[in-house]
Amino acid sequence: GVIQYTGDAFGGKLNGALLVCRYNIGGDIIALRLDRDGNVAGSETNIPGLNELENPLDLIEDTKTGFLYVAE
């Protein structure tokens, strides 16, 4: 699964980032940061609460709270 996060959780650090489930490579959620043109400008892994997952398949954001829900 892939979403573009729009919340203020995580101190706003992930706002606008693409969050991608990595099923068999790391078992986590990777955050891809985009530049103004929509190109990937950087990535972040080992995000507390989004790492050490067991085969994440999909995710969704509650846009009212910023909470993430991950299907494993």
Side-chain angles (χ1 to χ4, degrees):
V2 179
I3 63 167
Q4 185 167 19
Y5 187 76
T6 59
D8 291 327
F10 305 99
K13 294 179 182 179
L14 297 180
N15 193 22
L18 294 179
L19 301 182
V20 181
C21 292
R22 296 197 302 173
Y23 177 80
N24 61 354
I25 302 174
D28 65 356
I29 308 295
I30 185 172
L32 302 176
R33 306 208 181 278
L34 305 177
D35 64 17
R36 291 184 191 188
D37 297 322
N39 300 309
V40 175
S43 64
E44 184 176 348
T45 58
N46 295 317
I47 302 166
L50 300 180
N51 60 352
E52 298 182 21
L53 300 173
E54 299 228 6
N55 302 326
L57 294 173
D58 202 4
L59 71 163
I60 190 168
E61 174 189 357
D62 180 336
T63 56
K64 292 182 181 181
T65 64
F67 291 174
L68 292 171
Y69 298 91
V70 180
E72 295 183 87

